[in-house]
Amino acid sequence: MHTLSVKEMSEKLRNKEITSVALTQHYLDRIDQYDGELNAYVTVTPELAMEMARQADQMIAEGKGGLLTGIPVAHKDIFCTLDVKTTCGSKMLDNFIAPYDAKVVEASRALGMPILGKTNMDEFAMGSSSESSYYGATKNPWDLKAVPGGSSGGSAAVIAAGLAPLATGSDTGGSIRQPASFCGITGIKPTYGAVSRYGMIAYASSFDQGGPMTRSAEESAWLLDVMAGFDERDSTSLEQPKQDYVSALSNDIKGLKVGVPAEYFEEGLDDGVATTVRAAIAELEKLGAEIVEVSLPNKDLAVPAYYVLAPAEASSNLSRFDGVRYGYRCENPTDLNDLYTRSRSEGFGAEVKRRIMVGAYALSAGYYDAYYLKAQKLRRMVRDDFVNAFEQCDVIVGPVAPTPAFNIGEKSDDPVSMYLADLYTIPVNLAGMPAMSVPAGFSNGRPVGLHLVGPYHSEAKLLNVAHQYQQVTNWHQKMPESYQ
């Protein structure tokens, strides 16, 4: 059943050829069989999943629900899930049982989508490899020696290995798109504010954005339709009519102007990745798209600006984890200062502590203007580059990451090298624009994604371009042999 597309699953459920109970049990059995080696789930919820599957079957029998009713989903462990352990990949939240649902979880639950479990991730979404998790590194289903990307590496791995048909992720600096590229799946980061952040544990609030991770663009459109929409509980949620992501999929892309920035193909880009991306661009041209050269001159300013701004926001957001209200508390504190110091020192991992320290420094008196304020100005320059480029084209394409998936441990001791893995994805987060990764081929046996970037509120257009590309290629249908 895991080889069926979500569309085929949905049709079989509606036609009573399969039940949600049988479909959900099939995925739970696969998780039992394969997740021991992948470590893609932090928590599996079989009782909850089967109860929700029975309810979904009842909804279908009564003619209620929607296209995704009865289709199981895995949620990144950054989304609060009622009465389920929600850890954010950290020892700090190892004992935290969420007392409410995040908006994203609430929406999928209301539609009758059984929750298979919570997927592994870099601690507090800080990382590009899913190695910083308190629960150990997740492995890439295409090559167990490789990382799946991060921070949504668990969600990417469960889709690639067929341990869930649909998954949610979050993207702060590329955390949906880079793992989607590394694992050969489709993932989209919507416009900032399109998906509610209510109940999504904060890393950097002006960057964080939830989104779908699936096999195909069509499935991403279906899941994004569930996830997106205004939510008054999130002050940054966009109050505007929701796009029709699904209807736009079939639109012809003849005459579409596709921008290719020269800066994306400079030194440092893996030859295999460059060849794969250029081949994908040629496919778009065959479909009738017009290729135009554009420029993003401040691309190289994005990573340094991001690694001032995001840690600054993180140092503020993570101050709430103090050992007093919830989360990890050290044993036998001698006084309040000892409680704070040891709870945070013992509860947070190395990468999280590094970013808290960098952020606190950037916000400190005397350095705020020199670092934080300057980084905000650079952020505006990066955004303006995109705005100017979109005056010449409809979408921008390029690589998602400079290389295919690297080996586990390869960059663990070199934070700067790890940070540069997000060279192409971070600028989009600084601008708050939508972007996605689409499977485009392989380099040295490891998947490579094509990066599609659009102007604000162009998710339907991006999904349309991706879907049309997937009509003439089959990279999104490929599965690692071990998991077929």
Side-chain angles (χ1 to χ4, degrees), residues 394-417:
D394 301 307
V395 298
I396 290 172
V397 300
V400 177
T403 65
F406 45 88
N407 287 338
I408 292 171
E410 185 179 325
K411 298 182 188 254
S412 303
D413 299 326
D414 186 357
V416 174
S417 172

Side-chain angles (χ1 to χ4, degrees), residues 137-174:
T138 297
K139 297 179 178 65
N140 190 319
W142 288 96
D143 185 342
L144 296 179
K145 299 190 299 292
V147 302
S151 65
S152 309
S155 289
V158 301
I159 298 297
L163 305 190
L166 300 167
T168 57
S170 69
D171 194 308
T172 306

